[in-house]
Amino acid sequence: MKRAIVIVIDSMGCGAMSDCNDYGDVPECNTLCNVAAAVGGLNAPNFYELGLGNIGNVAGIEKNEKAIAQYGIMKETSKGKDTTTGHWEMMGLILDNPFKVYPNGFPAEIIDKFIQETNCGGILANYPASGTKVIEDFCDEHAKTKFPIIYTSADSVFQIAVDIDIIPIETLYEYCKIAREILTEKYNVSRVIARPYRMIDGKPTRIGGLRRDYSVEPFKDSACDIIVKNNGAVLGIGKIEDIFVGKGISHAIHTGGNTEGLELTLKAIKNELNLNELKCEKYDVKEYDKQFIFTNLVDTDMLYGHRNDYKGYAKAIEEIDSYLPKIIEAMTNDDLLIITADHGCDPTVSGTDHTREQVPIIVYSKDIKGEKLEEINSFDYISKRILSWLNIKN
């Protein structure tokens, strides 16, 4: 059975796009290379074998003339630098009009409607902020008032944080669903994000495994839909199901972090997951003759990029590297592996937001010839590549 595997290392961009200034980013932003330089070099021998060092000056990963994979750089066509835009473009959906951002917080008409429809009584914050910082600043007031903490960033996100020992997680999810209904059409917000936390040892600590993303629904069929309609199964690991609002995702499992995501991806490749237990309600895929495993590894972005933690970022890359031999060994001759990223989030430059960057791409199969890929001017190269591999005409 033909299988395509795409692993997205969230935010591991590799150099500023030419229009980065339009997004408030500096030309020096280069998440991968700057992280590698900041720690004095990455210990990533398996990425070396695949040729990652050939795409630029990645400290610790030398250039490899005998790389076993195809390697290159992809530039984004869509307007934006967020998760939804990047993943959608990978699956063939190009955004001509960017999602709206709210650099001064959300206007009263949105907040008033949110308070009225959720009956939450009021909200706290409502400005662009680092998630960990805004929760620290408002956790005491939240405990007193039980008002949800609302914040955004330089990206198109409406984030809702609550202490789930004060407000149940089900209530938080309901708040997000209501916000999602409000923030369509003229408000055009890409994602509403549930940010649950609880006090641990006197410190507010986010619970990553309970995070949920409520994205706007894709405006047309993506490569995921096309695969499902052609007798295929699409397994989303991590926040993939949320990014596509379940559209085109026949099976899904959420993760609490990169280690779990890597383990689940490895199990999926080894056929050790019970897909019957992971079926999505929208689809009833019983038999299939092709499969697409689509994984997002979020820690690089959520835990390290946004927190300016280049050391943690480097360790996350090295952990991913340590899984590559097991993943490659588990692959068959009918498997295609693509490793890439969706945008940047350079922890070495000022600010805590995403950065408008090009991204690396590595393409591997057992019988592939290692070589440099020609310039790729759109992330939808991935959708074309996997559909071709799965013998699906689009």
Side-chain angles (χ1 to χ4, degrees):
M1 181 176 65
K2 284 276 192 176
R3 299 189 301 183
I5 306 144
V6 173
I7 298 175
V8 181
I9 306 176
D10 206 305
S11 86
M12 198 181 77
C14 61
M17 294 272 290
S18 60
D19 60 356
C20 67
N21 289 328
D22 296 340
Y23 295 82
D25 298 318
V26 295
E28 292 77 20
C29 63
N30 187 322
T31 303
L32 173 61
C33 294
N34 287 345
V35 164
V39 297
L42 293 170
N43 179 21
N46 303 300
F47 273 125
Y48 163 77
E49 293 293 337
L50 292 169
L52 184 62
N54 295 341
I55 69 166
N57 184 21
V58 187
I61 307 179
E62 296 181 358
K63 298 187 184 306
N64 182 3
E65 294 181 0
K66 297 181 180 180
I68 61 173
Q70 296 175 341
Y71 52 85
I73 289 173
M74 294 195 303
K75 296 180 179 179
E76 190 167 17
T77 299
S78 299
K79 301 299 182 183
K81 55 175 182 175
D82 60 272
T83 295
T84 301
T85 303
H87 283 75
W88 281 14
E89 184 166 317
M90 289 179 207
M91 294 298 105
L93 306 181
I94 309 296
L95 284 178
D96 295 324
N97 297 313
F99 293 114
K100 285 187 179 180
V101 295
Y102 294 83
N104 300 311
F106 297 98
E109 61 184 293
I110 290 177
I111 297 300
D112 290 347
K113 193 169 185 180
F114 175 81
I115 293 171
Q116 178 183 3
E117 295 193 13
T118 60
N119 198 30
C120 65
I123 64 103
L124 302 173
N126 187 27
Y127 54 77
S130 161
T132 51
K133 180 67 165 57
V134 75
I135 291 171
E136 288 176 0
D137 290 345
F138 285 93
C139 62
D140 290 341
E141 192 173 351
H142 171 67
K144 293 176 183 177
T145 63
K146 297 183 174 58
F147 294 165
I149 302 167
I150 306 293
Y151 63 103
T152 186
S153 72
D155 299 313
S156 183
V157 290
F158 185 97
Q159 306 189 78
I160 309 174
V162 304
D163 182 335
I164 57 175
D165 290 324
I166 296 173
I167 296 176
I169 188 68
E170 294 80 11
T171 303
L172 172 58
Y173 292 160
E174 187 60 29
Y175 285 172
C176 290
K177 291 174 184 176
I178 291 170
R180 179 68 277 167
E181 290 295 319
I182 294 171
L183 296 168
T184 54
E185 298 178 353
K186 69 175 181 177
Y187 300 125
N188 196 25
V189 172
S190 171
R191 286 181 295 157
V192 175
I193 305 177
R195 294 289 195 179
Y197 72 92
R198 57 170 30 119
M199 302 303 290
I200 299 177
D201 296 328
K203 183 179 180 181
T205 304
R206 296 202 300 199
I207 312 300
L210 295 178
R211 164 187 169 160
R212 292 292 182 272
D213 292 47
Y214 298 79
S215 296
V216 65
E217 186 167 319
F219 55 88
K220 68 175 183 178
D221 282 356
S222 73
C224 298
D225 297 282
I226 295 168
I227 292 168
V228 171
K229 289 178 179 180
N230 281 271
N231 202 40
V234 177
L235 169 61
I237 298 176
K239 61 182 182 178
I240 297 298
E241 181 184 23
D242 290 346
I243 294 170
F244 291 88
V245 200
K247 196 170 183 297
I249 312 299
S250 61
H251 303 78
I253 184 167
H254 292 263
T255 61
N258 279 12
T259 304
E260 186 179 7
L262 288 162
E263 287 288 348
L264 288 169
T265 302
L266 183 57
K267 287 182 178 180
I269 296 169
K270 290 181 174 181
N271 292 310
E272 293 177 354
L273 292 181
N274 184 346
L275 291 190
N276 287 327
E277 296 178 352
L278 304 178
K279 280 185 179 180
C280 297
E281 292 182 2
K282 289 184 179 181
Y283 302 94
D284 187 23
V285 176
K286 295 178 181 177
E287 295 182 2
Y288 51 91
D289 59 15
K290 57 186 71 70
Q291 186 184 33
F292 175 32
I293 301 168
F294 197 2
T295 298
N296 175 278
L297 301 175
V298 74
D299 286 357
T300 37
D301 182 63
M302 181 176 70
L303 297 184
Y304 309 120
H306 286 299
R307 300 183 188 182
N308 298 129
D309 182 358
Y310 62 83
K311 293 180 180 178
Y313 206 119
K315 289 180 180 178
I317 294 173
E318 291 173 352
E319 180 189 29
I320 296 166
D321 180 86
S322 73
Y323 272 83
L324 294 177
K326 290 178 279 190
I327 289 172
I328 289 172
E329 183 180 354
M331 292 171 60
T332 72
N333 290 335
D334 290 320
D335 293 338
L336 178 75
L337 171 66
I338 297 177
I339 303 172
T340 189
D342 52 347
H343 51 73
C345 192
D346 191 337
T348 72
V349 298
S350 62
T352 60
D353 295 315
H354 292 161
T355 41
R356 172 76 167 170
E357 296 185 45
Q358 58 194 16
V359 301
I361 180 170
I362 290 172
V363 183
Y364 172 81
S365 71
K366 295 287 188 182
D367 58 358
I368 209 166
K369 177 186 176 183
E371 60 184 350
K372 180 180 179 180
L373 295 168
E374 296 300 320
E375 184 172 295
I376 302 170
N377 290 314
S378 177
F379 292 1
D380 72 353
Y381 172 86
I382 291 178
S383 65
K384 295 172 182 175
R385 190 75 187 259
I386 64 176
L387 290 176
S388 174
W389 179 262
L390 296 174
N391 297 318
I392 297 174
K393 292 183 179 180
N394 182 17

